[in-house]
Every structure is written in C-alpha cells, then in structure tokens.
Amino acid sequence: MAAEAPAPHSPARARRAEHLGPARRRPQILDAALAIAIADGVDAVTVAAVARRMQVTRPVVYACFTDRKTLLDDLLHREEDHLRDAVLASLTPRKVYADADVFIEGFTTLLRSVAARPQAWRLLYSNPDTEVAHLFGRGRAAAIARCTAMLRPTLTAWDVADADRKLPALVELWVSSGEAAVRTLLAQEGQQRVDELGRLFGVAVYHALRSA
C-alpha cells in the first residue's frame, strides 16, 4: 500500500521547515505575524498562531524568538523602521520648497513606498491596538519635526506674513494631507495610479501652503 502523504500540520512537514536557519526564518515569522495582526489585531499575534499560519511547530518559532513579547517587539520595530524611512525619504531636505514639483515628488515617493509595502501601512493605519497607536505617534512626531524644519525657510522665501505664527497650522495641514494620501491609496488599491494620486495631493498642498 502506498504511504499516505503527510497532513499539512504533520511533524514531517514541520521538520522540513527546521532546515532553515534563524536568520532566514525570522523574516518569514515576522511576515506571518504581520498578516495575523492586520487580519485579527495585534492581540491575536501569538507564537501558536504564527506557527499555525506557517504550518510549523511552535519550537520552530521559539528558535528565533524567545517569547511572544520579543516577537511582537521585533515586528513593530521592523515596521516602524520601514515606515519612518519611507516618510523621511519623501521629505528630502532642501534649502527651500518653492515650487509644486517638489511637493509632487514628495507625495509620489511616499505613495510608492505604500504601494510597495501596503501590509505595513495597513497595520499602522487600520489597527486600533495600543502598541500600534504608540508607533503611529512616534512616526507622526518625526514627520512634524522634519516638515517644520523644511517649511520655515520656504515660508520666508514666499514672504508669508506672520510665518512663525502660521507655521504649526501649515505643518499640520501638510502632515495630515500625507496621511490622507496614504489612506486614499489603501482604500482604492488597484484603482488609483500612484503617480496620479501623488500629483493630485502634491499640487493641492502646494497651493494651500502657497496661499497662506
């Protein structure tokens, strides 16, 4: 009689997974944890849940992460790093942000990063968990600091009256528009072209700031 094929959760399948070393296995584990967090919330991310999703035994996960807290911390730090780098890349320092093309370039760069890693951005924008809210707050604070430093000389170059008084409100408008652009792309994924949306938001924000 022919041998029966192992079931998806069988030890035979799990043993094959163990041939991958921790360095190669960790990113796979974090990807599985990310998918669970987006689908069911951060509270649903457990070692057992990750093992089930990957069709491996729990010791395979424990070989890379000592416990759930370590796994979750590494996941959130990884995604925070990706998102921070994307935001800062979209806000390349210049002496003056004087024309619409600069804003279009910035919004387009940001939205391209969203299109490249939509799952990470969904975790940030679609998850009410406390851990994620803390991550979002730190990222937003960094974006506000960068935008403030960049917009101040631009307002001076534009001869905006009462520039220092208006600066916080205009920075908030800029950052909030970036968040709106991300949410729009995530909501319309596959329906709206990234460059088209980047141009739309870039031109709108430029004119809003320019007319302050």
Side-chain angles (χ1 to χ4, degrees), residues 99-130:
D99 57 51
D101 287 344
V102 174
F103 287 89
I104 292 169
E105 177 188 331
F107 276 93
T108 302
T109 299
L110 174 64
L111 293 176
R112 284 175 180 166
S113 73
V114 176
R117 283 183 63 86
Q119 294 289 72
W121 292 88
R122 288 189 191 284
L123 175 67
L124 185 67
Y125 279 80
S126 307
N127 207 303
D129 290 278
T130 303

Side-chain angles (χ1 to χ4, degrees), residues 130-162:
T130 303
E131 295 96 332
V132 178
H134 182 59
L135 183 156
F136 180 88
R138 283 198 309 222
R140 198 175 202 281
I144 286 175
R146 177 67 69 92
C147 287
T148 299
M150 294 190 308
L151 191 55
R152 181 176 278 111
T154 299
L155 296 182
T156 300
W158 287 344
D159 292 324
V160 173
D162 297 323

